[in-house]
């Protein structure tokens, strides 16, 4: 299984926030000392562990044994199941990866993408998670262009609302926005080092921990990028995890009040198996 196929798979399934930040940093992740595999789970199954080993170029008998048994390509129903799961988590991709590596195909949510902010706001107030996510992304991008504090607050509220309603791609955009703030708003500690706002970095890690808990295909790529900005001290790490737990508890309470079921965290075993098989298949063949 190639790392390139894993990357293509994430692009096809996730789209949206992932493409706006992580894809532009793939060259960095290639040079990183971290494994380049993009699937991360807190307690990986044997199948996902094999996928991670193969994606990161691990050697040894385990890899040889895994490679010796070809994985069966997904059928149409299984591909559609994988896409549906990704869309339930906020994924917007419905394109096709061509043999030459280019992507073609329309977006499945063009109606949302072409709607103005007022229309998206109205849908968001009615409980539409995708409207909240798309409007939140727009305002996050505006904030990163203008540093308008109102844009930041509205973007954060909308993206957290989408997260509360089950999306995980919205957490990716929160990480992106918070990481941008952390990189550009701190004090210059040394001439040869970038400025880092420690409070903003702690909050970035809080969103990252929440993404890890919820489960998302792009988790490991976000881990690499956030760690590239800066590592946390033991005390800061504890603060970040406490903040993540508080956000999770608040979102869970909101779900309960709305009559929504508890979060289904992590990546289900069925989806893990489909991901492993899909990543071992040329993504040009991924047609739901």
């Amino acid at each position: 299984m190639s790392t390139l196929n894993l990357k293509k798979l994430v692009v096809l399934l996730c789209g949206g926030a992932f493409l706006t930040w992580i894809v532009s940093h793939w060259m960095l992740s290639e040079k990183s000392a971290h494994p380049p595999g993009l699937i991360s789970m807190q307690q990986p199954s044997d199948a996902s562990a094999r996928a991670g080993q193969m994606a990161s170029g691990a050697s040894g008998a385990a890899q040889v044994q895994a490679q010796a048994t070809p994985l069966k390509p997904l059928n149409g129903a299984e591909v559609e199941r994988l896409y549906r799961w990704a869309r339930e988590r906020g994924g917007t991709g419905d394109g096709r990866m061509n043999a030459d590596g280019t992507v073609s195909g329309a977006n499945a949510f063009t109606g949302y993408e072409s709607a103005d902010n007022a229309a998206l706001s109205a849908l968001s107030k009615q409980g539409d998670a995708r409207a909240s996510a798309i409007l939140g992304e727009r305002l996050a991008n505006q904030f990163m262009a203008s540093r308008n504090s109102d844009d930041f607050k509205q973007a954060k509220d909308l993206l957290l609302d989408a997260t509360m309603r089950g999306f995980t791609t919205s957490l990716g955009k929160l990480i992106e926005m918070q990481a941008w703030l952390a990189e550009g708003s701190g004090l210059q500690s040394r001439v040869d080092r970038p400025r880092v706002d420690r409070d903003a970095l702690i909050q970035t890690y809080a969103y990252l921990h929440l993404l890890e808990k919820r489960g998302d295909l792009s988790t490991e790529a976000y881990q690499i990028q956030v760690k590239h900005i800066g590592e946390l001290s033991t005390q800061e790490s504890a603060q970040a995890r406490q903040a993540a737990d508080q956000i999770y508890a608040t979102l869970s309470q909101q779900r309960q009040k709305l009559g929504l079921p508890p979060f289904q965290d992590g990546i289900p075993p069925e989806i893990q198996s489909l991901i492993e098989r899909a990543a071992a298949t040329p993504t040009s063949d991924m047609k739901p």
Side-chain angles (χ1 to χ4, degrees), residues 24 34 36 48 54 62-63 65 73 75 89 100-101 110 116 126-127 132 145 163 169 173 175 192 195 232 244 258 266:
S24 65
H34 298 277
S48 62
M54 295 172 72
Q63 180 182 355
Q65 181 180 4
N75 60 39
R89 295 298 190 94
D100 61 359
T110 51
D116 61 24
Q126 295 173 20
S132 292
T163 302
T169 54
K173 194 63 180 183
I175 292 171
D192 61 338
R195 297 177 298 172
L232 297 183
L258 291 174

Side-chain angles (χ1 to χ4, degrees), residues 22 40-41 55 66 68 93 118 122-124 153 158 164 171 181 222-223 237 264:
I22 295 297
S40 176
M41 287 147 276
L123 289 171
S124 174
K153 183 180 184 307
L158 286 162
M164 181 271 292
L171 282 168
L181 195 62
Y222 280 115
Q223 290 170 336
S237 182
Q264 296 298 310

